[in-house]
Coordinates of all heavy atoms in Angstrom, one line a residue:
E1 N 0.8 -1.2 0.0 CA 0.0 0.0 0.0 C 0.9 1.3 0.0 O 0.4 2.3 -0.5 CB -0.9 0.0 1.2 CG -2.1 -1.0 1.2 CD -2.9 -1.0 2.4 OE1 -2.5 -0.3 3.4 OE2 -3.9 -1.8 2.5
N2 N 2.1 1.2 0.6 CA 2.9 2.3 0.7 C 4.2 2.2 -0.2 O 5.2 2.8 0.1 CB 3.3 2.5 2.1 CG 2.2 2.9 3.0 OD1 1.7 4.0 3.1 ND2 1.7 1.9 3.7
R3 N 4.1 1.4 -1.2 CA 5.3 1.1 -2.1 C 5.8 2.4 -2.7 O 7.0 2.6 -3.0 CB 4.9 0.1 -3.1 CG 6.0 -0.3 -4.1 CD 7.1 -1.1 -3.4 NE 6.7 -2.4 -2.9 CZ 7.5 -3.3 -2.4 NH1 8.8 -3.0 -2.2 NH2 7.0 -4.5 -1.9
S4 N 4.9 3.3 -3.1 CA 5.3 4.6 -3.7 C 6.2 5.5 -2.9 O 6.9 6.3 -3.4 CB 4.1 5.3 -4.2 OG 3.3 5.7 -3.1
C5 N 6.0 5.3 -1.6 CA 6.9 6.1 -0.6 C 7.4 5.2 0.4 O 7.3 5.4 1.6 CB 6.1 7.3 0.0 SG 4.4 6.8 0.6
L6 N 8.0 4.1 -0.1 CA 8.4 3.0 0.8 C 9.5 3.4 1.8 O 9.4 3.0 3.0 CB 9.0 1.9 -0.1 CG 9.5 0.6 0.7 CD1 8.4 0.0 1.5 CD2 10.1 -0.4 -0.3
F7 N 10.4 4.3 1.4 CA 11.5 4.7 2.4 C 10.9 5.4 3.6 O 11.3 5.1 4.7 CB 12.5 5.6 1.7 CG 13.6 6.0 2.5 CD1 14.6 5.0 2.9 CD2 13.8 7.2 3.0 CE1 15.7 5.4 3.7 CE2 14.8 7.6 3.8 CZ 15.8 6.7 4.2
F8 N 10.0 6.3 3.4 CA 9.4 7.0 4.5 C 8.5 6.1 5.3 O 8.4 6.2 6.6 CB 8.6 8.2 4.0 CG 9.4 9.3 3.4 CD1 9.6 9.4 2.1 CD2 10.1 10.2 4.3 CE1 10.4 10.4 1.5 CE2 10.9 11.2 3.7 CZ 11.1 11.3 2.4
F9 N 7.9 5.1 4.7 CA 7.1 4.1 5.5 C 8.1 3.3 6.4 O 7.8 3.0 7.6 CB 6.4 3.1 4.5 CG 5.6 2.1 5.3 CD1 4.5 2.4 6.1 CD2 6.0 0.7 5.1 CE1 3.8 1.4 6.7 CE2 5.3 -0.3 5.8 CZ 4.2 0.1 6.6
L10 N 9.2 2.9 5.9 CA 10.2 2.2 6.7 C 10.7 3.0 7.8 O 10.9 2.5 8.9 CB 11.4 1.7 5.8 CG 11.1 0.7 4.7 CD1 12.3 0.4 3.8 CD2 10.5 -0.6 5.3
L11 N 10.9 4.3 7.6 CA 11.3 5.2 8.6 C 10.3 5.3 9.7 O 10.6 5.3 10.9 CB 11.6 6.6 8.1 CG 12.9 6.9 7.3 CD1 13.0 8.4 6.9 CD2 14.1 6.5 8.1
F12 N 9.0 5.3 9.3 CA 7.9 5.4 10.2 C 7.9 4.1 11.1 O 7.7 4.2 12.3 CB 6.6 5.5 9.5 CG 5.4 5.5 10.4 CD1 4.9 6.7 10.9 CD2 4.7 4.3 10.7 CE1 3.8 6.7 11.8 CE2 3.6 4.4 11.6 CZ 3.2 5.6 12.1
L13 N 8.2 3.0 10.5 CA 8.2 1.7 11.3 C 9.3 1.7 12.3 O 9.2 1.0 13.3 CB 8.3 0.5 10.3 CG 7.1 0.2 9.4 CD1 7.4 -1.0 8.6 CD2 5.8 0.0 10.3
R14 N 10.4 2.3 12.0 CA 11.5 2.4 12.9 C 11.3 3.4 14.1 O 11.6 3.1 15.2 CB 12.8 2.7 12.2 CG 13.3 1.7 11.1 CD 13.6 0.4 11.7 NE 14.0 -0.6 10.7 CZ 14.4 -1.8 10.9 NH1 14.5 -2.3 12.2 NH2 14.8 -2.6 9.9
L15 N 10.7 4.5 13.7 CA 10.4 5.5 14.8 C 9.2 5.2 15.6 O 9.2 5.5 16.8 CB 10.3 6.9 14.1 CG 11.6 7.5 13.5 CD1 11.3 8.6 12.6 CD2 12.5 7.9 14.6
F16 N 8.2 4.6 15.0 CA 6.9 4.3 15.7 C 6.6 2.8 15.4 O 5.8 2.5 14.5 CB 5.8 5.2 15.2 CG 6.1 6.6 15.4 CD1 6.5 7.4 14.3 CD2 5.9 7.3 16.6 CE1 6.8 8.8 14.4 CE2 6.2 8.6 16.8 CZ 6.6 9.4 15.7
P17 N 7.3 1.9 16.0 CA 7.3 0.5 15.6 C 5.9 -0.1 15.8 O 5.4 -0.3 16.9 CB 8.3 -0.2 16.5 CG 8.5 0.8 17.7 CD 8.3 2.1 17.1
M18 N 5.3 -0.5 14.7 CA 4.1 -1.3 14.7 C 4.5 -2.8 14.9 O 3.6 -3.6 15.2 CB 3.3 -1.2 13.3 CG 2.8 0.3 13.1 SD 2.3 0.5 11.3 CE 1.0 -0.8 11.2
T19 N 5.7 -3.1 14.6 CA 6.3 -4.4 14.7 C 7.7 -4.3 15.3 O 8.4 -3.4 15.1 CB 6.3 -5.1 13.4 OG1 6.8 -6.5 13.5 CG2 7.2 -4.4 12.4
P20 N 8.1 -5.3 16.1 CA 9.5 -5.3 16.7 C 10.5 -5.2 15.6 O 10.4 -5.7 14.5 CB 9.6 -6.6 17.4 CG 8.2 -7.0 17.7 CD 7.4 -6.5 16.5
N21 N 11.6 -4.5 15.9 CA 12.7 -4.3 14.9 C 13.3 -5.6 14.4 O 13.6 -5.8 13.2 CB 13.8 -3.4 15.5 CG 13.4 -2.0 15.5 OD1 13.0 -1.4 14.5 ND2 13.6 -1.3 16.6
W22 N 13.4 -6.6 15.3 CA 14.0 -7.9 14.9 C 13.1 -8.6 13.9 O 13.6 -9.2 12.9 CB 14.2 -8.8 16.1 CG 12.9 -9.2 16.8 CD1 12.3 -8.6 17.9 CD2 12.1 -10.3 16.5 NE1 11.2 -9.3 18.3 CE2 11.0 -10.3 17.5 CE3 12.1 -11.3 15.5 CZ2 10.0 -11.3 17.4 CZ3 11.1 -12.3 15.5 CH2 10.0 -12.3 16.4
F23 N 11.8 -8.5 14.0 CA 10.9 -9.1 13.0 C 10.9 -8.4 11.7 O 10.9 -9.0 10.6 CB 9.4 -9.1 13.6 CG 8.5 -9.8 12.6 CD1 8.5 -11.2 12.5 CD2 7.6 -9.1 11.9 CE1 7.6 -11.8 11.6 CE2 6.7 -9.7 11.0 CZ 6.8 -11.1 10.9
L24 N 11.0 -7.1 11.7 CA 11.1 -6.3 10.5 C 12.4 -6.7 9.8 O 12.4 -6.8 8.5 CB 11.1 -4.8 10.8 CG 11.1 -3.9 9.6 CD1 9.9 -4.2 8.7 CD2 11.0 -2.4 10.1
N25 N 13.5 -6.9 10.5 CA 14.8 -7.3 9.9 C 14.6 -8.6 9.2 O 15.2 -8.9 8.1 CB 15.9 -7.3 11.0 CG 16.2 -6.0 11.5 OD1 15.8 -4.9 11.0 ND2 16.9 -6.0 12.7
L26 N 14.0 -9.6 9.9 CA 13.8 -10.9 9.4 C 12.9 -11.0 8.2 O 13.1 -11.8 7.3 CB 13.3 -11.9 10.5 CG 14.3 -12.2 11.6 CD1 13.6 -13.0 12.7 CD2 15.5 -12.9 11.1

């Protein structure tokens, strides 16, 4: 859904984690 602005979505996940960082890495 956020592929067009993927980098900013990834930043959002790191700053406001909807999922643990370890799971996002995996």
Side-chain angles (χ1 to χ4, degrees):
E1 289 176 356
N2 294 280
R3 183 68 67 175
S4 60
C5 47
L6 179 60
F7 182 73
F8 290 98
F9 178 67
L10 295 175
L11 285 182
F12 180 87
L13 290 181
R14 297 296 180 177
L15 289 165
F16 304 98
M18 297 167 58
T19 182
N21 281 311
W22 64 266
F23 182 74
L24 186 56
N25 295 345
L26 290 174

